[in-house]
Amino acid sequence: MQVTINGELRDIATQTMQQLLESLGIDPRKVAVERNAVILPKAEYMTTPVVAGDRIEIVHFVGGG
Amino acid sequence: MSHNDTLVIAGRHFNSRLMVGTGKYASNEETARALEASGAEIITVAVRRVNLDRSKESLLDYIDLKKYTLLPNTAGCYTADDAVRTCLLAREAGMSDFVKLEVLGNEKTLFPDNEELLKAAKILIKEGFTVLPYTSDDPIVCKKLEDLGCAAVMPLGAPIGSGLGIRNPYNIKIILDTVKVPVIVDAGVGTASDAAIAMELGCHGVLMNTAIAGAKNPIAMAEAMNLAVRAGRLAYLAGRIPRKLYATASSPLEGLLE
């Protein structure tokens, strides 16, 4: 199925948000995730399925002033 | 300096009055060393998309989060909605309510859009955030931000990254007379004397990034800023002499040879 992650169209298998982050090599503790413009609390990564057409934003802290 | 001369923001005490940004350094190692030399306890970070194809190495791997209070910023946001969204994401990523709120109005000057800033501040305070807004050196706007419940006001000394110093010390003075919350000069500092001037005016703190990160030797400049902020604060507390047009002799006039 196709989903948009950080503005990029990607083909992925059916999975949860937790599994998606792991497959991308991302430590869930260090990021915040928005799914279809709604922030997903960390506690819900395990139980939230990623659905075809989802628009996902994954952000973290970088150097800034 | 007196041990109880701490900077208090929203009930939290900080020993250092210098806050530093973490952008524009050559490497994460250099950032960590500059932070150490600066003595800062509050450091700003930006919120950006994770690059899916690059290494997931993070600045936070180099920073002791027990030592520093992270102050996520809303840099690059031009509307209240974008700034609020960024703050909500920052809170989820960092688990802290502290935010440096900036809402920009122009790409060339990076001057704040104070109308959007006030709008965003109102929403964020309602959402429980501790808001530290970057604003113009405008006493009226600063008073409005305080009235909304901002924990500090952060007027610019000069445009972000310009290194022009404190362009309008008189406005900063009026802001200090106008609000009761801490006044932190944010942006414009170019070198150590600029930071000292801000502190001598009576500001409660100074926030800078480019002045340190852009220096030829960022670690040495971080130390210079550390000393300048402390020197300026101490001079302010000590109370400077009045300016006079004519000389006053330092040596006694009595006992002069005839």
Side-chain angles (χ1 to χ4, degrees), chain B residues 96-245:
Chain B
S96 157
D97 290 330
F98 269 56
V99 285
K100 169 181 160 176
L101 177 63
E102 56 179 285
V103 187
L104 304 173
N106 178 278
E107 283 178 23
K108 198 168 174 184
T109 61
L110 300 179
F111 281 146
D113 180 334
N114 288 317
E115 199 182 343
E116 290 293 301
L117 180 71
L118 289 162
K119 212 198 294 177
K122 199 173 177 179
I123 297 167
L124 290 167
I125 288 160
K126 218 173 147 188
E127 291 280 341
F129 283 91
T130 299
V131 179
L132 286 73
Y134 156 73
T135 176
S136 324
D137 56 355
D138 178 342
I140 310 296
V141 173
C142 286
K143 183 71 175 93
K144 286 185 181 181
L145 288 163
E146 177 182 52
D147 289 346
L148 284 175
C150 290
V153 291
M154 305 208 292
L156 55 85
I160 293 171
S162 70
L164 290 173
I166 316 299
R167 290 298 79 209
N168 195 341
Y170 302 102
N171 267 31
I172 301 289
K173 267 289 205 199
I174 295 171
I175 292 166
L176 283 160
D177 278 343
T178 306
V179 302
K180 292 184 193 73
V181 291
V183 176
I184 293 150
V185 163
D186 179 4
V189 166
T191 188
S193 53
D194 298 331
I197 286 168
M199 296 309 295
E200 287 168 12
L201 287 170
C203 290
H204 303 85
V206 181
L207 198 165
M208 64 183 74
N209 188 345
T210 309
I212 297 175
K216 278 186 188 152
N217 183 338
I219 317 301
M221 188 58 90
E223 188 181 353
M225 293 300 184
N226 182 350
L227 295 169
V229 167
R230 286 158 57 198
R233 176 65 181 174
L234 197 53
Y236 168 74
L237 294 175
R240 60 155 298 151
I241 59 163
R243 290 179 171 88
K244 287 184 293 183
L245 189 57

Side-chain angles (χ1 to χ4, degrees), chain A residues 34-51:
Chain A
E34 222 184 51
R35 180 171 164 257
N36 302 325
V38 179
I39 290 175
L40 192 62
K42 284 189 202 301
E44 294 174 23
Y45 293 172
M46 294 278 202
T47 54
T48 303
V50 178
V51 177

